[in-house]
């Protein structure tokens, strides 16, 4: 298995533009996380899906952020409009739900820079 | 909000020495996991300890868990330069969500 695949790896965009980050979880995993990592705030959980359904989105910063999981093999995190303070590394992770003990597998992240 | 806080924030040791990192958390947990992150990369799972376990070993790693104090420690024995990375604890909270919440991390530098 290729692991969790995120795209793009790097994104530079201008303030006000829409940004879409993509994630393909590991086949057979039905739990997916989106995290944001910055020096100031560390690794923050943004949203968490089980079986394609959002379970907890309390970490989503504001209405400019939205996430979808239309099927078990694909998820998107969208920021519209983007702002410089959204600059961070965004990670997607997946695991097998139903077994509380399983580890999460992380993608390589998308480094977002909003100028 | 972050569930776990780790200390120290940064640790610098000589190759061959042991490295100990600590993690404290706030709520009841199902299990606690430790992850490693190399600069610019995703996190990689190292070891998991369940709430009914007190100690676990994996190679040069030793993890302890004290649920009464809501704390855990990760010991890396006989450290190597390649162990240089950031280390994070993560808790699976004791509710129906099973979400994974990460601590603030410890940056470990192992000097050759």
């Amino acid at each position: 298995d290729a692991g969790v695949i995120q795209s793009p790896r790097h994104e530079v965009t201008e303030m006000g533009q829409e940004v879409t980050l993509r994630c393909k979880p590991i086949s057979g995993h039905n739990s997916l996380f989106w995290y944001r990592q910055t020096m100031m705030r560390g690794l923050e959980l943004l949203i968490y899906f089980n079986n394609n359904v959002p379970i907890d989105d309390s970490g989503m910063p504001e209405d400019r952020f939205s996430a979808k999981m239309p099927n078990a093999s694909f998820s998107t995190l969208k920021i519209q409009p983007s702002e410089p303070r959204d600059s961070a590394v965004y990670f997607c992770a997946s695991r097998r739900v139903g077994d509380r003990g399983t580890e999460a597998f992380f993608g390589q992240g998308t480094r977002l820079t909003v100028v | 909000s972050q569930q776990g806080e780790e200390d120290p924030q940064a640790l610098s040791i000589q190759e061959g020495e042991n490295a100990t990192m600590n993690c404290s958390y706030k709520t009841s947990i199902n299990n606690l996991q430790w992850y490693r992150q190399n600069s610019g990369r995703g996190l990689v799972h190292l070891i998991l300890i369940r709430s009914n376990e007190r100690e676990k070993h994996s190679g040069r790693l030793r993890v302890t868990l004290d649920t009464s104090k809501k704390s855990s420690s990760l010991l890396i024995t006989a450290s190597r330069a390649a162990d240089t990375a950031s280390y994070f604890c993560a808790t699976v909270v004791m509710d129906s969500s099973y979400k994974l919440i990460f601590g603030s991390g410890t940056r470990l530098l192992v000097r050759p």
Side-chain angles (χ1 to χ4, degrees), chain A residues 9 33 35 37 41-43 45 48 50 55-56 58 91 95 97 100-104 106-108 111, chain B residues 2 30-31 33 35 37 40-45 48 50 88 92 96-103 107:
Chain A
R9 289 294 309 277
F33 305 83
Y35 291 92
Q37 187 176 36
R41 300 174 69 90
L43 200 60
L45 176 61
Y48 170 44
N50 272 357
I55 300 299
D56 186 338
S58 58
F91 287 102
R95 73 174 181 193
V97 79
R100 292 163 290 175
T102 55
E103 66 191 89
F106 278 74
Q108 291 301 302
R111 182 174 295 276
Chain B
Q2 291 175 345
N30 176 275
N31 66 72
Q33 304 176 25
Y35 288 77
Q37 183 182 34
R41 309 294 294 267
L43 281 74
V44 176
H45 181 265
L48 178 152
R50 300 186 188 278
F88 295 85
V92 174
S96 60
S97 71
Y98 305 145
K99 62 186 177 185
L100 196 59
I101 305 295
F102 282 83
R107 294 188 310 278

Side-chain angles (χ1 to χ4, degrees), chain A residues 30-67:
Chain A
N30 49 8
S31 178
L32 184 141
F33 305 83
W34 281 101
Y35 291 92
R36 177 173 69 176
Q37 187 176 36
T38 61
M39 287 293 292
M40 290 293 293
R41 300 174 69 90
L43 200 60
E44 302 173 276
L45 176 61
L46 300 178
I47 188 169
Y48 170 44
F49 293 86
N50 272 357
N51 296 314
N52 313 338
V53 176
I55 300 299
D56 186 338
D57 65 354
S58 58
M60 295 286 262
E62 47 199 272
D63 291 346
R64 297 184 298 106
F65 285 69
S66 62

